[in-house]
Every structure is written in C-alpha cells, then in structure tokens.
Amino acid sequence: AQKVTQAQTEISVVEKEDVTLDCVYETRDTTYYLFWYKQPPSGELVFLIRRNSFDEQNEISGRYSWNFQKSTSSFNFTITASQVVDSAVYFCALSEPYNNNDMRFGAGTRLTVKP
Amino acid sequence: GAGVSQTPSNKVTEKGKYVELRCDPISGHTALYWYRQSLGQGPEFLIYFQGTGAADDSGLPNDRFFAVRPEGSVSTLKIQRTERGDSAVYLCASSLTGSGSTDTQYFGPGTRLTVL
C-alpha cells in the first residue's frame, strides 16, 4: 500500500532563514505522482506542485524548490528566505493512477515563520 | 473562475442525527473526491467519482456514509446516525479528468462537522 511519511511535525524558523520540509514515500508502482499542498490557517488546501515518477528533475519556482530522489524515495521541499506568510501546514501526497487516483497524504508539517 | 465550493462551512449536530454536506466542483471537472481531515492529520480519502458514478468508495468508513453525484456535477456526502467520532473537516476536491498523468486535484475550503 502507498504511504507518505513527514517526520517533522513542527518546524519554527526566523524570517529569511531557509527551511527544508522532508517527505518520504512508499509505493509498489513504477508510475506514481507526488504532490505538495499548503494549508494556511484559513484551512483551504492550496496546490503547490505535482511531479510524476519519471521526471526526477528538480524544480524551482521563486523561493520554492523541490528535490525528488527516487533512490531514497524522497520528495523534499525547500523554502528559501522564508517569510511570515509561509506559515502554514504543508502536506506531501502520493497518488497511484492505477489505484483509482485516491491520494494519500502525509500527516503534515506545521511551519511557523517568526518575524 | 470559481473554485470548489462547499456548504455549509460549519455544521453542528447531535449524535444520532443525519447530515448532508454539499460540494460544488470547478465547472467542467469530471472527477470529484471526498476526504476527511481529523485534527492534526492529513486528509484521508473517502470516495472518488468519475462523472456520475462512484469509481472508488473504498475509503468510506462504514455504511453510515454515502455519497451521490446524480448529474455529474454537484455532490452530496450523507452521514446517517452521526457519531462523535465523525467530527472532522470534510474536504471536497475536483480535477479535470481524473487521469493521473495530467491531473491535479483542487480543494474546497471544507465543511467542519461537529457531532455533540
């Protein structure tokens, strides 16, 4: 069965620090998709990125970057020069398209960025 | 364009009562998903619709839970004989095709259900 582990329950940093959120996954499929979502205090899950299992290129989007390593089954998320508005719970998720698309989420990492 | 909307935003009910939670997906999205999020946890899959049919309901915890999507758009999650353990935020998501190769699920704001 697919599984996602986010070992860091809570992280607190000071504004402008870089921070990396870890995500480790388990799956038996060779085709799968990995996601990161942000859940601010308002509660709505905001999509950040989708990565398929055949594309191991790292991605950068502004202050956000993602490091996908199949060898270690990890899909880590780094925020550079963090800002107070980055404070939220961040979820990593995995879906296997041949398993009817149900997406399995990790337990989330609560990030607090202090001014 | 409008995102996924869910009503009500909050629902308080008494143990044993029946509740309905509504989800209005993004226009044109054929796939619709229900999740349940307990405090301090990630969302947990309940059911997935492709069009009008439930393609996967393996996440529904028991037969008190049921969902419909009669016209392939709006969906209603129905919970009978509610229990205190049903208290959670119920999230709805929709995606364009339900095909994993290009699809992304977009979430609504959720309905917070409290069973007293």
Side-chain angles (χ1 to χ4, degrees):
Chain A
Q2 62 201 99
K3 182 180 174 182
V4 176
T5 301
Q6 294 180 255
Q8 304 149 308
T9 306
E10 294 192 34
I11 300 176
S12 180
V13 299
V14 176
E15 208 169 19
K16 298 184 183 176
E17 285 185 22
D18 298 347
V19 59
T20 295
L21 310 181
D22 297 334
C23 173
V24 174
Y25 62 91
E26 293 177 32
T27 177
R28 289 175 292 186
D29 280 2
T30 56
T31 301
Y32 52 90
Y33 303 91
L34 295 164
F35 303 80
W36 277 94
Y37 283 83
K38 174 181 180 180
Q39 190 172 43
S42 62
E44 190 161 342
L45 280 163
V46 177
F47 167 75
L48 296 178
I49 189 171
R50 177 188 66 246
R51 178 50 50 92
N52 75 55
S53 53
F54 299 109
D55 181 3
E56 283 194 75
Q57 273 194 325
N58 292 328
E59 182 155 340
I60 298 174
S61 176
R63 296 184 296 107
Y64 295 170
S65 62
W66 290 270
N67 184 356
F68 177 28
Q69 293 198 347
K70 288 178 76 169
S71 61
T72 55
S73 296
S74 65
F75 187 44
N76 296 338
F77 173 31
T78 297
I79 302 174
T80 303
S82 59
Q83 299 176 0
V84 172
V85 294
D86 296 328
S87 297
V89 181
Y90 290 86
F91 291 97
C92 181
L94 165 72
S95 74
E96 297 167 341
Y98 304 116
N99 189 28
N100 291 320
N101 290 302
D102 76 64
M103 194 152 55
R104 302 301 170 101
F105 285 81
T109 296
R110 180 177 297 279
L111 173 66
T112 301
V113 181
K114 299 178 180 177
Chain B
V4 177
S5 62
Q6 292 185 246
T7 55
S9 55
N10 279 283
K11 176 70 177 179
V12 180
T13 191
E14 294 179 345
K15 181 174 178 291
K17 299 289 188 183
Y18 168 83
V19 296
E20 289 189 352
L21 311 179
R22 175 188 167 110
C23 172
D24 206 333
I26 293 172
S27 178
H29 280 195
T30 63
L32 184 146
Y33 310 78
W34 283 98
Y35 292 83
R36 178 169 68 175
Q37 186 176 19
S38 300
L39 193 63
Q41 300 295 318
E44 177 188 19
F45 170 78
L46 295 177
I47 186 169
Y48 154 57
F49 285 91
Q50 184 58 257
T52 61
D56 182 358
D57 64 359
S58 62
L60 295 177
N62 52 59
D63 61 7
R64 295 186 298 105
F65 288 74
F66 189 70
V68 295
R69 195 186 184 200
E71 297 179 0
S73 178
V74 171
S75 176
T76 304
L77 178 66
K78 307 181 181 193
I79 310 174
Q80 298 177 322
R81 304 183 304 279
T82 52
E83 300 177 357
R84 292 195 180 87
D86 298 335
S87 297
V89 175
Y90 289 82
L91 295 166
C92 177
S94 71
S95 66
L96 186 59
T97 66
S99 169
S101 62
T102 58
D103 228 31
T104 295
Q105 295 182 29
Y106 295 94
F107 284 79
T111 294
R112 182 175 297 279
L113 175 66
T114 303
V115 182
L116 301 177

